[in-house]
Amino acid sequence: MTMDLTFLGTGSAYPSPHRGASAVVLRTEGECWLFDCGEGTQTQLMKSQLKASRITNVFISHLHGDHLFGLPGLLCTVSLNLNPCSTQPPACVNIYGPQGLRQFLRVALELTSSELIFPYTVHELEPTTDQSPPEGQLSPEVTADSGRLHPQERPGRMIALDVSSDCYILLENKHFIVKAFRLFHRVPSFGFSVQEQDRPGRLKTELLKELGLKPGPLYGRLKAGESVTLESGQVVNPIEVMEEAIPGRKVCILGDCSSILGEGPLMACHRADILVHEATLSDEHREKAVDHGHSTPSMAAAVAQACCARRLVLYHFSQRYKPAGLHKEGDDDDVLELRRQAEKALQGTGIEVSLAEDFLTIRIPIVRLH
Amino acid sequence: MTMDLTFLGTGSAYPSPHRGASAVVLRTEGECWLFDCGEGTQTQLMKSQLKASRITNVFISHLHGDHLFGLPGLLCTVSLNLNPCSTQPPACVNIYGPQGLRQFLRVALELTSSELIFPYTVHELEPTTDQSPPEGQLSPEVTADSGRLHPQERPGRMIALDVSSDCYILLENKHFIVKAFRLFHRVPSFGFSVQEQDRPGRLKTELLKELGLKPGPLYGRLKAGESVTLESGQVVNPIEVMEEAIPGRKVCILGDCSSILGEGPLMACHRADILVHEATLSDEHREKAVDHGHSTPSMAAAVAQACCARRLVLYHFSQRYKPAGLHKEGDDDDVLELRRQAEKALQGTGIEVSLAEDFLTIRIPIVRLH
Ligand SMILES: [Zn+2]
Ligand SMILES: [Zn+2]
Ligand SMILES: [Zn+2]
Ligand SMILES: [Zn+2]
């Protein structure tokens, strides 16, 4: 199964002609998962190779406009462009994000008389009070929903912190486990970890034939991890006749933050193949960055190192940093300097550093350990 | 005073890489008035020569997302880019639009913890029940506002239809009168007429000198329309010593509609210098257009003719119509065909037809009648 990550917007605070507002798509075969949806994401999607209609899950890291204002319009446009005569009933779009997201979407769709031809569900994450300064916390009367579901809205869950793992379990199926974890920002913010399940290795069919085992039900039992007894009485253990397991990949995408919170992020992101972390300002502006709830490259590097990530990708750059291709000799703010700062902080660790740019796609290869 | 109109988005339904969602700016000296604010308007503004910080009035024709979803983000970005240390207190931004707009904006700003450094007011227009099919009308519980004003929100008016003029009086000052009028669409929609006040002509200073009148207080009295008696006993009437009055210009911008409603639009748009009217689909698709509450070029032409407008500008094109510059030989949907259809319908009337394109600016000259 191929997996890749496409950045649709890498700018902070607002979309500009040079950098869209936050939006990242994780694509696996046939499905797109969207992480954040700043204003203009639908237009960035149209400019990319991705299909908006393939979006099945949306994850909103926090309720700042540059991560959210594109969501109502995106859903409307996906609906307009779906074939209403399709024989297959459209799948439900699952939307995960902080408490208050349900009411935001409901009011935006309801007041604009936006009909959708597919169902959607909002699952809300309950933040803890230490995820932001007190003034960043929304009062219950603000986050409370109206009680009037949109005609296409299906009731969603309220997901509380799982104290033992210090994270939020969002979904688990035979391919993936997705968790959220807590970050500190001006408003409660979350990161997401997508862990692909390990898959059993292939059967060594040549070896099985030598043992006299022909393709059939016994192959299935071996694949499922059971031992099999041959007519000769010989017991065949799965481990003897199977290739090494295919290790699941792990992709972690963090929302805006000036720090991670608790043990959850470290556990959820441990040995991530890719850790996507914001770096809004350069190390020289660390104080200002932290004041605004943001990080610098060396702060992002410290998180990557604490998680033993394989690769760190920086994004969510202040709009003062033009894309490298537009940088002119003598300009003050060079985005490449952000990469150098992270690289310097990670010297000797073997952790690779990349800068995201709008429309950059990164493949996530399977890494075999032996 | 110069006046011009800049189209920031000319596409219908959603923003695309070829056409932004609806947004038009009327610029007079120093001020920008924004008509509709679809998603991506702030980015289109950045690409244009206009300054978002100059926006003092916003008019929303109707509560469809392609005319509205850019508004919360635009206000946030204007605020971020205003100088917080400016000695002048920032002016209040006045926002006019249908009932429900206040709650939309309040919820969007409140849930995203969006602080603004300038005050804003939403003045709501009360639609009548004949502006849309029943299913397009929002129930009072949906349009009701939360009662919690945003910290920067100033209480706004509820503006009801003025039955005698069949229109809504939005603002009147020494330069302009702005009215709204009713349109029929899938949801209640409005058009706006901006009428510049006539200004007195210049004094004929050569003539005044011949009469022995020197610059001074008497000049002011003549300009104000008073007669003046010279030492010789001769009475000078203003009309004898003043150039012709400078006629006020009239710019009318209509929201989505399949028809105008009542006498209001005809009176408010009578002899408009520019009438901006939607033409979502071509005349061949008239039935579909009307079904969706939209117009075709010959429908727009009929409105222009009924209003005795000088110039008709078409906009809000289906995204199937690429800008003329991108049209390829053999493509089905040619936007120039929309102009031809309107021109044909207006043959012999002298009404000029133009197609809007993103970033097109149209100057509105003073037309002297004699
Ligand atoms: Zn952000
Ligand atoms: Zn943020
Ligand atoms: Zn529209
Ligand atoms: Zn509409």
Side-chain angles (χ1 to χ4, degrees), chain B residues 83-106:
Chain B
N83 181 357
C85 307
S86 167
T87 51
Q88 244 183 328
C92 184
V93 174
N94 286 288
I95 303 167
Y96 299 85
Q99 221 168 350
L101 178 57
R102 186 177 298 134
Q103 173 70 350
F104 171 83
L105 202 54
R106 211 179 264 182

Side-chain angles (χ1 to χ4, degrees), chain B residues 2-267:
Chain B
T2 62
M3 264 176 97
D4 57 39
L5 210 54
T6 299
F7 292 83
L8 294 175
T10 58
S12 83
Y14 53 86
S16 83
H18 299 307
R19 290 191 188 281
S22 281
V24 186
V25 172
L26 175 65
R27 181 169 60 165
T28 58
E29 266 158 56
E31 278 192 39
C32 288
W33 294 5
L34 176 64
F35 293 82
D36 285 335
C37 188
E39 183 178 345
T41 297
Q42 58 170 308
T43 316
Q44 297 288 89
L45 261 168
M46 288 176 214
K47 288 185 190 169
S48 79
Q49 304 294 320
L50 302 168
K51 289 207 173 107
S53 59
R54 293 281 167 83
I55 294 172
T56 52
N57 288 307
V58 178
F59 303 89
I60 301 294
S61 67
H62 66 297
L63 301 183
H64 270 156
D66 58 324
H67 300 253
L68 179 61
F69 282 153
L71 186 55
L74 176 78
L75 295 180
C76 291
T77 302
V78 167
S79 181
L80 275 177
N81 290 314
L82 276 183
N83 181 357
C85 307
S86 167
T87 51
Q88 244 183 328
C92 184
V93 174
N94 286 288
I95 303 167
Y96 299 85
Q99 221 168 350
L101 178 57
R102 186 177 298 134
Q103 173 70 350
F104 171 83
L105 202 54
R106 211 179 264 182
V107 169
L109 295 176
E110 187 177 45
L111 279 166
T112 56
S113 306
S114 299
E115 292 162 17
L116 300 174
I117 67 166
F118 56 84
Y120 79 91
T121 306
V122 179
H123 304 291
E124 291 190 331
L125 311 188
E126 189 175 54
T128 59
T129 54
D130 48 355
Q131 284 183 256
S132 77
E135 64 271 21
Q137 287 156 33
L138 298 173
S139 71
E141 62 175 349
V142 170
T143 57
D145 62 55
S146 65
R148 288 188 305 275
L149 268 77
H150 184 275
Q152 286 288 18
E153 187 182 348
R154 305 290 173 260
R157 291 182 287 150
M158 168 61 76
I159 309 175
L161 182 69
D162 172 57
V163 179
S164 69
S165 64
D166 195 21
C167 71
Y168 301 77
I169 316 290
L170 306 193
L171 72 89
E172 176 157 13
N173 60 31
K174 75 178 177 173
H175 296 303
F176 296 102
I177 306 175
V178 183
K179 296 174 184 170
F181 46 87
R182 298 175 305 146
L183 305 172
F184 187 86
H185 183 48
R186 269 177 305 139
V187 301
S189 182
F190 296 90
F192 302 99
S193 134
V194 178
Q195 164 76 64
E196 187 188 23
Q197 308 273 19
D198 293 343
R199 281 173 296 154
R202 250 172 283 179
L203 287 178
K204 296 174 177 166
T205 45
E206 285 305 310
L207 181 57
L208 288 169
K209 275 181 200 155
E210 279 171 33
L211 291 168
L213 252 168
K214 286 182 194 136
L218 292 182
Y219 273 43
R221 286 172 52 193
L222 284 165
K223 272 223 117 167
E226 291 175 42
S227 298
V228 157
T229 309
L230 302 182
E231 281 174 19
S232 65
Q234 191 189 341
V235 175
V236 180
N237 285 316
I239 199 160
E240 297 159 11
V241 293
M242 284 171 80
E243 312 260 4
E244 196 189 331
I246 301 164
R249 289 157 283 187
K250 189 187 274 189
V251 177
C252 299
I253 300 172
L254 280 69
D256 292 3
C257 62
S258 57
S259 67
I260 57 177
L261 210 72
E263 291 297 304
L266 297 177
M267 293 190 288

Side-chain angles (χ1 to χ4, degrees), chain B residues 269-275 303-312 349-352:
Chain B
C269 304
H270 185 62
R271 306 192 72 153
D273 292 272
I274 301 233
L275 185 98
V303 173
Q305 196 171 357
C307 297
C308 308
R310 285 209 179 83
R311 184 171 178 184
L312 169 65
T349 63
I351 301 174
E352 196 187 332

